[in-house]
């Protein structure tokens, strides 16, 4: 780790001030990716702006029949929330499946989606549910928010403040974890909403995407059997020592069927 | 039985300090004036070092010194050695290339240490390491053992990268048997390369005392005396009597802390170079992946010849072993004397021949890892026999039973040099089959099929050899040291007993088990015994702990020293009791005049030895005895493991539903410690079978360099084990009848898991049997079935 100046502001206004005053400042949420990166000396920020002291970024509340979750809410808080469990149990399940207890106790929703790791779980949940990302500047639809591998629509001085999730009719998340890291090799979030069926896939490609072949099949018949004849193309999917593109394509379908079955 | 003596499941006395965070590991030690070392390592698998510019690093605030290979050479430091001379079949010596403590001119694997930066703080040492400028010219590299023969030369003086071309057994007899065989079963397989991953990373603190000119090295070592010997006799860091090596609490080794590595030599030497300030180094986990010696990494072809009734006629094995970029301390012995000698397994195969070619590659050195050679042999044999059973249409258990060495055939001379002393292989097989409900398996398979799951069952009847022995034979086969063990029993005025052992505990529970031995033999309370190990300044010279030798060899040395104490005590007791020594009997800590109620406790006798108010003539005062034990033979633990798995054909995921282990360890001292050892070994064996595998790319970069990509077994990957240690056949190789239990799980488990998986899906997949490999195999097996 290199030396840096540590700040723990109380308001978003202070954050904005710190970011504009320090060009090489970086934001710290749960730090589950960033702290290891710092420890390995792979990043050298001048200033570290810790968001954990900002009250307005925390919390889970019901809004418009759906849920609004503050950016620095931890995975454990989402997984353990009675409200999430009641309104959006698939999201609680997703949060509960992230990492291990240490990661869930520190890692945050805002940190996870701002990092946009291609194998992270939350991007599938946001895209699958058609969520809206609220930032210090605007609102961004989930599909527009995740733009590429470790890339988002966020501008340099823009901070995620909350995510709003509409309530689906039914939804579930099914993940095939990497045996080593337990990140998703493939994670599929399936939701049936008033606007149609959404199938969002994480882990399989450089960025979360919607599996339109599967969505179309499920729109006609929301059942696992509806996916039997459908195949997911392997083109453009990730290929590494853990899984080939072909295997990932196969797993997308298997996980989608399991998610549909779990959604009931 | 003495309370807390042999056979008692005494909770481990060391656990209190470990569980409460009071253990004292090398990294917990901080010495006044301590400096910090960071090693600068090669980022290339193979490169020429064009130049090293120290100026930038030396200008970093806090940096005290930078040393390179040239500095070490100029100061007369020697290189690291491989301590076991293996000769090729043409009689020539193995080709051990130089292994400098810091690379000179060439780097040969990613992680090869090139320089050390020493600074006031760890952060400053890291800053200095970043500022060190090294100009490399990259060279072509070879990583896979299959590509080594025709690959770029790792060491210019070793043609074809071939270290040795060794053989064991009677080739002509094997050829003759194959010529008349009714059936030949052939298998080619890979022994996956493993990263040892001890919980505690390696660490070292070197200190030079400018007043006494003595060096002290605190170190994560399984064998501090062996470290001292090699560092003085070969690396020339210090004369042996001026070097003290202390291995305090050590958090696991699995072989990886046997070896004498570059870093401990460098920090010890460097302390003198910087005027005697202590130099501390502790590796990062990512360094451990690159620099702790790896295990296994073979490519093997095995052929089994059988007659028409399924009797084994002969076994022919050819293996290529990857030893990495340099020959580590015991590397040469692992794929030879610890591997091919075990190829008889539990079977009376009359003719066996093995040819092993060992190669250099541009990868991390490979050496002993839990089991060391024996897991490779056991896997080969047990998967090959399963293949034979499938081809013959025989039950795998019955094919094994048919070929077992019968229990009345011991001692049994195998065709590959070993003499098994005791065993009853049918007994362990029968017990395991019964506990696993082998008979009931078809019903469980049918039930699983209804749920869409593929269920399989697999056996592994392993054998191993513990406690390499005797020294004379080992030395005649190339060992550079004797393989005896030592002990000293020091009694105190108040009747307490200190046991000083040359063995070293790094998770084995010696402090408990050895105390039980002494409590049993001397009849003193278990609580009155203290075990001291790990410091060359206080313990007798010993060979350390590896190869499941501590109890069978080190324990027997303790027993011999206890017997000397008892014998001396008998003279004192006879004097005190005014009886003839011949009339004194000793039992459970009490000397008694036979047939009378006249007695003295051992504590009274010990007190008299130190306060000799009335004392026998010609007997020295004191109660302090030493013993060495050089065993006449290995011990041969053996057993049967039965694994039952269920495969999800949609994803290739495998779940271990049941695992039964029946081990013959001879007599068991502490059943709880033994059970723990078996659990750990099984976890590592299952890890090798399903999860763990070091992967290099073609350029020699380690792709599995962290836990993000290298899969260690977690609790939820493992079933609840059923572990049993009876029936046992005590060995006569030591007075306790013990055989050793540290490695059995890692030796026997991989074949049991893979055989179960093969039974489930219809074809064997290479280890680690990852979900994708299994999924592909299931798909391949399903296709012809679909056509039927």
């Amino acid at each position: 780790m290199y030396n840096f100046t540590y700040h723990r502001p109380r308001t978003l206004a202070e954050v904005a001030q710190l970011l504009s005053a320090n060009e090489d400042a970086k934001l710290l949420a749960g730090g589950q990716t960033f702290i290891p990166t710092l420890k390995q000396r792979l990043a050298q920020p001048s200033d570290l702006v810790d968001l954990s002291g900002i009250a307005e970024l925390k919390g889970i509340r019901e809004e418009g029949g759906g849920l609004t979750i503050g950016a620095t809410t931890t995975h454990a808080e989402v997984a353990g929330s009675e409200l999430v469990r009641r309104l959006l149990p698939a999201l609680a399940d997703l949060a509960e499946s992230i990492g291990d207890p240490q990661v869930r106790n520190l890692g945050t929703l805002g940190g996870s989606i701002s990092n946009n790791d291609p194998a992270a779980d939350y991007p599938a949940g946001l895209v699958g549910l058609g969520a809206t990302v609220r930032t210090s500047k605007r609102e961004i639809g989930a599909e527009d928010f995740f733009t590429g591998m470790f890339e988002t629509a966020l501008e340099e001085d823009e901070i995620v403040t909350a995510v709003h999730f509409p309530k689906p009719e039914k939804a579930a998340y099914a993940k095939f974890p990497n045996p080593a890291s337990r990140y998703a090799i493939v994670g599929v979030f399936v939701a049936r909403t008033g606007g149609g069926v959404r199938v969002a896939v994480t882990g399989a490609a450089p960025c979360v995407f919607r599996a339109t072949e599967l969505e179309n099949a499920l729109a006609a018949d929301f059942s696992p059997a509806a996916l039997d004849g459908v195949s997911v193309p392997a083109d453009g999917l990730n290929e590494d020592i853990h899984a080939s593109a072909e295997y990932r394509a196969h797993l997308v379908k298997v996980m989608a069927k399991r998610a549909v079955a779990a959604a009931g | 039985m003495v309370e807390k003596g042999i056979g008692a499941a005494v909770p481990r006395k060391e656990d209190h300090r470990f569980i409460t965070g009071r253990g004292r590991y090398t990294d917990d030690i901080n010495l006044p004036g301590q400096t910090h070392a960071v090693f600068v390592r090669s980022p290339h698998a193979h490169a020429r070092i064009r130049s090293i510019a120290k100026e930038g690093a030396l200008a970093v605030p806090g940096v005290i010194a930078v040393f390179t290979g040239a500095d070490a050479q100029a100061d007369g430091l020697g290189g690291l050695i491989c301590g076991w001379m293996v000769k090729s079949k043409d009689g020539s010596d193995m080709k051990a290339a130089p292994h400098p403590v810091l690379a000179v001119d060439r780097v040969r694997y990613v992680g090869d240490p090139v320089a050390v930066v020493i600074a006031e703080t760890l952060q400053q040492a890291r800053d200095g390491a970043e500022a060190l400028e090294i100009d490399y010219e990259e060279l072509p590299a070879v990583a896979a053992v299959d590509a080594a023969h025709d690959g770029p030369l790792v060491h210019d003086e070793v043609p074809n990268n071939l270290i040795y071309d060794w053989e064991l057994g009677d080739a002509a007899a094997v050829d003759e048997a194959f010529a008349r065989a009714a059936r030949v079963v052939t298998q080619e397989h890979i022994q996956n390369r493993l990263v040892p991953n001890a919980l505690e990373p390696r660490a070292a603190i070197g200190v030079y005392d400018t007043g006494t000119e003595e060096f002290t090295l605190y170190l994560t070592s399984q064998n501090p005396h062996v470290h001292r010997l090699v560092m003085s006799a070969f690396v020339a860091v210090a004369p042996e009597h001026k070097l003290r090596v202390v291995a305090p609490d050590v958090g696991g080794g699995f072989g990886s802390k046997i070896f004498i590595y570059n870093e401990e030599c460098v920090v010890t030497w460097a302390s003198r170079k910087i005027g005697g300030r202590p130099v501390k180094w502790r590796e990062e986990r990512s360094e451990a992946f690159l620099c702790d010696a790896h295990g296994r990494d073979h490519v093997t072809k095995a052929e089994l010849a059988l007659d028409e009734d399924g009797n084994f006629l002969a076994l022919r094995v050819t293996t290529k072993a990857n030893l990495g970029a340099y020959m580590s301390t015991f590397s040469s012995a692992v794929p030879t004397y610890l591997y091919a000698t075990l190829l008889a397994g539990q079977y009376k195969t009359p003719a066996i021949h093995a040819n092993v070619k060992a190669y250099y590659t541009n990868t991390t050195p490979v050496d002993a890892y839990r089991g060391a050679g024996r897991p490779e042999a056991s896997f080969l044999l047990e998967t090959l026999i399963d293949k034979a059973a499938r081809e013959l249409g025989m039950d795998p258990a019955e094919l094994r039973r048919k070929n077992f060495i019968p229990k009345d055939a011991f001692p049994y001379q195998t065709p590959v040099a070993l003499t098994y002393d005791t065993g009853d292989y049918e007994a362990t097989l029968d017990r395991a089959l019964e506990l696993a409900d082998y008979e009931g398996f078809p019903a469980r398979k049918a039930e699983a099929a209804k749920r869409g799951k593929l269920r399989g069952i697999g056996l592994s009847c392993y054998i191993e050899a513990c406690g390499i022995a005797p020294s004379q034979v080992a030395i005649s086969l190339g060992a550079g040291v004797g393989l005896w063990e030592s002990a000293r029993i020091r009694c105190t005025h108040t009747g307490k007993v200190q046991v000083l052992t040359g063995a070293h505990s790094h998770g084995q529970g010696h402090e408990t088990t050895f105390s039980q031995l002494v409590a049993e033999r001397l009849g003193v309370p278990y609580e009155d015994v203290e075990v001291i190990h790990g410091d060359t300044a206080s313990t007798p010279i010993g060979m350390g702990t590896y190869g499941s030798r501590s109890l069978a060899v080190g324990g027997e040395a303790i027993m011999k020293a206890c017997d000397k104490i008892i014998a001396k005590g008998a003279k004192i007791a006879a004097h005190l009791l005014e009886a003839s020594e011949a009339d004194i009997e000793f039992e459970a800590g009490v000397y008694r005049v036979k047939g009378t109620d006249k007695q003295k406790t051992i504590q009274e006798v010990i007190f008299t030895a130190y306060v000799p108010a009335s004392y026998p003539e010609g007997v020295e005062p004191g109660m302090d005895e030493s013993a060495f034990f050089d065993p006449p033979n290995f011990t041969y633990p053996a057993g049967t493991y039965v694994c039952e798995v269920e495969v999800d054909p949609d994803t290739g995921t495998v779940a271990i539903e049941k695992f039964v282990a029946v081990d013959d360890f001879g007599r068991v001292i502490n059943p709880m410690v033994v059970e723990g050892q078996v659990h750990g070994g099984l976890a590592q064996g299952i890890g090798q079978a399903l999860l763990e595998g070091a992967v290099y790319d073609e350029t020699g970069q380690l792709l599995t360099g962290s836990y993000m990509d290298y899969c260690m077994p977690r609790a939820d990957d493992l079933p609840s084990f059923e572990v049993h240690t009876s029936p046992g056949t005590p060995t006569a190789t030591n007075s306790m009848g013990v055989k050793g239990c540290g490695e059995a799980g890692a030796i026997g488990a991989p074949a049991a898991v893979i055989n179960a998986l093969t039974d489930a899906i219809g074809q064997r997949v290479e280890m680690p049997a990852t979900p994708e490999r299994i999924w592909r195999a299931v798909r391949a097996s399903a296709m012809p079935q679909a056509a039927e």
Side-chain angles (χ1 to χ4, degrees), chain B residues 68-82 97-104 113 227 229-239 260-270 272 326-327:
Chain B
T68 65
D71 297 323
Q73 270 190 343
D75 216 39
L77 277 201
L80 300 171
I81 56 144
C82 177
H99 186 182
V101 292
L102 293 169
V104 178
H227 261 94
L229 169 63
V230 172
M231 287 177 64
S232 66
F234 297 95
V235 191
V237 172
I260 290 77
Y261 290 92
N262 316 60
E263 295 87 354
E264 50 253 33
C265 298
V266 170
V267 297
T268 310
W269 165 72
R272 181 173 61 78
Y326 300 98
M327 293 186 74

Side-chain angles (χ1 to χ4, degrees), chain A residues 2 41 242 244 247 250 258, chain B residues 130 648 650-651 709 772:
Chain A
Y2 298 105
R41 295 190 156 201
H242 303 290
S244 64
Y247 182 50
H250 168 78
R258 289 184 184 178
Chain B
E130 278 183 17
D648 175 354
D650 291 338
T651 60
D709 294 302
E772 178 161 4

Side-chain angles (χ1 to χ4, degrees), chain B residues 443-472:
Chain B
R444 296 194 293 280
K445 187 178 178 73
E447 186 277 331
K450 282 185 198 155
R451 290 182 281 111
K453 297 291 167 62
L454 306 172
R455 199 164 175 116
I457 193 164
L459 295 175
S460 169
C461 298
Y462 78 91
I463 191 161
E464 65 158 319
C466 296
I468 303 175
S471 291
Q472 250 185 307

